Amino acid sequence: GKTVASGSFLRQSVCRRISRAERPEMHDDRRSAATIGKKFCLPPNMSVLESILFKDVTMIEHIRQRIAHAPRIPLGVWPTPFMDMDHLRETIGSSCPRLWVKREDLTPLGAGGNKVRKLEFVLARAMAEGADVLLNTGEVQSNQVVQTAAAAAHLGIPCELFLGCMDPPLSEDEKDTGNILLCRILGARIHLLPPGEDRAAAMRTRAEELKKEGRHPYIIPRGSSTQEGSLGSLSCFFELLEQAAEHDFVPDAIVVTVGSSGTTAGFLVGAQAMRRTMNRKIGIWAFDVFGSEYPVSAHDRIMSHAEESWRSLELPGNCGEDSLHLSGEFVGPGYCRPYQGMLDAVRLVAGAEGFVADPNYTGKCLAGLLHLLRSGVFRPDQNIVYLHSGGLPALFAMHRYFN
């Protein structure tokens, strides 16, 4: 066994002996340490998490243990692919940093996407509370609701979705194609609501009706952005770091899309923990796609979720936002509204790397990333990772913009 700090370090800093049999997951930590350790000059037989003892309490270890021991329903196949974007780098030019993509769009349920990570934890709580029907909400072309419908089908639980229509419509067939078509195929019951109607209130009303029928409905918040959901985002963050370490680097920046903001908040929590324990800043460059159409600003959404997650993990002090770089400049004319810069970004990356982004979330984030690269924000020797969170089916509801 190795001597490591364990337990609730908010209350005590106690070292105890922990054997491999008691803590088998230490083996996984050593796998990442063999590569991450090179960046921090660690002894080859020391895990990264153990090395933190030389600086501070084991905050990273504490978070990873909370993830490992949290109730969870397996829905994905991990890790998702981690690929270079060398052709895109060549296209940008010699001043471009090294580019990588984390393919969260390749998860197995529905048409893929990162929300399945959150649902592993969110649905574990739902099942523990005896849920026999799931309620979820999003826009008519939401990818979150597709993954909810797919997870419900996988688990054999009825699902009802409350989808908001757009004004004006994205296309003449926005209610019949793309993500909403997948939801119907997956067996979800669809409630289409007019633009501006309170979908959360409609879900609560439906939940009361179901309770009167003797059912046990469970309302999944928009984007699965909850304390439980944040564990899924943190799991992705650490998985990404391990994959980067296998390529002998620690990311200088991770580029993410901001919707309901749970993913960005989870990555910010992970980056802030890394900054405090290993003195390594990993910038979280976040591009908002809601703009002024969301009642709460992107900054406030992110920080509210991040601080809530930080507290739920019992970490010391506040999360803070030192690692956060937030932009709302690439929303375009509005949520789910295409514009030329986004269309060009989707086409450029598809032609250079062979994967397709959706025209709202990941496409607009790509437009922001390309702006950073062309503006010389990063050095050529840096490593930048783009998180592809999925959403491709929405493209088919906006096909006229690409044609």
Side-chain angles (χ1 to χ4, degrees), residues 242-314:
E242 290 178 0
Q243 290 173 306
E246 290 171 0
H247 292 276
D248 198 31
F249 75 89
V250 176
D252 294 287
I254 301 173
V255 179
V256 299
T257 308
V258 183
S260 60
S261 79
T263 299
T264 305
F267 271 58
L268 179 59
V269 168
Q272 289 292 90
M274 287 287 291
R275 183 186 181 105
R276 295 184 189 186
T277 57
M278 303 185 80
N279 198 30
R280 179 61 185 253
K281 180 176 181 180
I282 301 174
I284 305 299
W285 292 76
F287 292 93
D288 180 36
V289 298
F290 281 158
S292 60
E293 296 179 32
Y294 204 91
V296 181
S297 72
H299 175 270
D300 290 350
R301 294 197 307 273
I302 293 168
M303 294 314 302
S304 175
H305 288 307
E307 296 295 355
E308 179 185 38
S309 175
W310 193 269
R311 290 190 298 270
S312 71
L313 292 166
E314 300 182 279

Side-chain angles (χ1 to χ4, degrees), residues 32-43 46-49 51-52 54-55 241 245 248-251 274-275 277-282:
S32 62
T35 44
I36 296 178
K38 297 176 185 178
K39 290 293 180 183
F40 300 101
C41 302
L42 307 180
M46 179 184 294
S47 79
V48 174
L49 302 182
S51 74
I52 297 169
F54 291 101
K55 280 186 55 57
L241 291 190
D248 198 31
F249 75 89
V250 176
M274 287 287 291
R275 183 186 181 105
T277 57
M278 303 185 80
N279 198 30
R280 179 61 185 253
K281 180 176 181 180
I282 301 174

Side-chain angles (χ1 to χ4, degrees), residues 171-221:
S171 62
E172 68 281 355
D173 59 352
E174 71 165 6
K175 301 176 185 176
D176 302 305
T177 189
N179 282 313
I180 193 170
L181 174 61
L182 293 180
C183 291
R184 291 193 175 104
I185 292 172
L186 290 163
R189 179 179 178 182
I190 306 296
H191 302 267
L192 281 173
L193 281 69
E197 187 163 332
D198 190 339
R199 301 195 300 271
M203 279 199 302
R204 292 192 295 270
T205 299
R206 178 59 179 155
E208 291 304 315
E209 294 173 354
L210 289 166
K211 289 176 182 178
K212 291 177 182 178
E213 297 172 8
R215 306 293 296 277
H216 299 281
Y218 187 87
I219 295 177
I220 301 173

Side-chain angles (χ1 to χ4, degrees), residues 325-336:
H325 304 265
L326 175 63
S327 171
E329 298 177 10
F330 297 89
V331 178
Y335 177 75
C336 267

Side-chain angles (χ1 to χ4, degrees), residues 3-49:
T3 303
V4 301
S6 183
S8 177
F9 57 80
L10 290 177
R11 302 181 183 89
Q12 56 185 347
S13 179
V14 179
C15 290
R16 63 187 180 95
R17 305 287 289 182
I18 299 179
S19 70
R20 285 291 183 94
E22 183 184 353
R23 291 279 299 284
E25 66 275 7
M26 286 294 289
H27 177 72
D28 293 332
D29 294 338
R30 290 182 188 284
R31 180 175 62 82
S32 62
T35 44
I36 296 178
K38 297 176 185 178
K39 290 293 180 183
F40 300 101
C41 302
L42 307 180
N45 64 339
M46 179 184 294
S47 79
V48 174
L49 302 182

Side-chain angles (χ1 to χ4, degrees), residues 141 166 168-171 174 289 293 330-347 358-361 363-364 367 394-403:
Q141 286 298 324
M166 303 295 295
L170 294 172
S171 62
E174 71 165 6
V289 298
E293 296 179 32
F330 297 89
V331 178
Y335 177 75
C336 267
R337 301 298 171 192
Y339 61 94
Q340 194 60 48
M342 176 277 294
L343 298 173
D344 293 343
V346 171
R347 285 195 178 97
D358 84 279
N360 184 42
Y361 287 86
K364 292 183 178 182
L395 182 148
F396 300 104
M398 304 186 200
H399 58 85
R400 64 189 176 95
Y401 296 99
F402 289 89
N403 291 331

Side-chain angles (χ1 to χ4, degrees), residues 83 85 101 103 105 346 349-357 366 386 388:
M83 305 164 62
M85 293 196 287
V101 57
R103 295 294 302 275
D105 58 313
V346 171
V349 175
E353 295 298 340
F355 67 83
V356 181
L366 274 180
Y386 166 70
H388 190 341

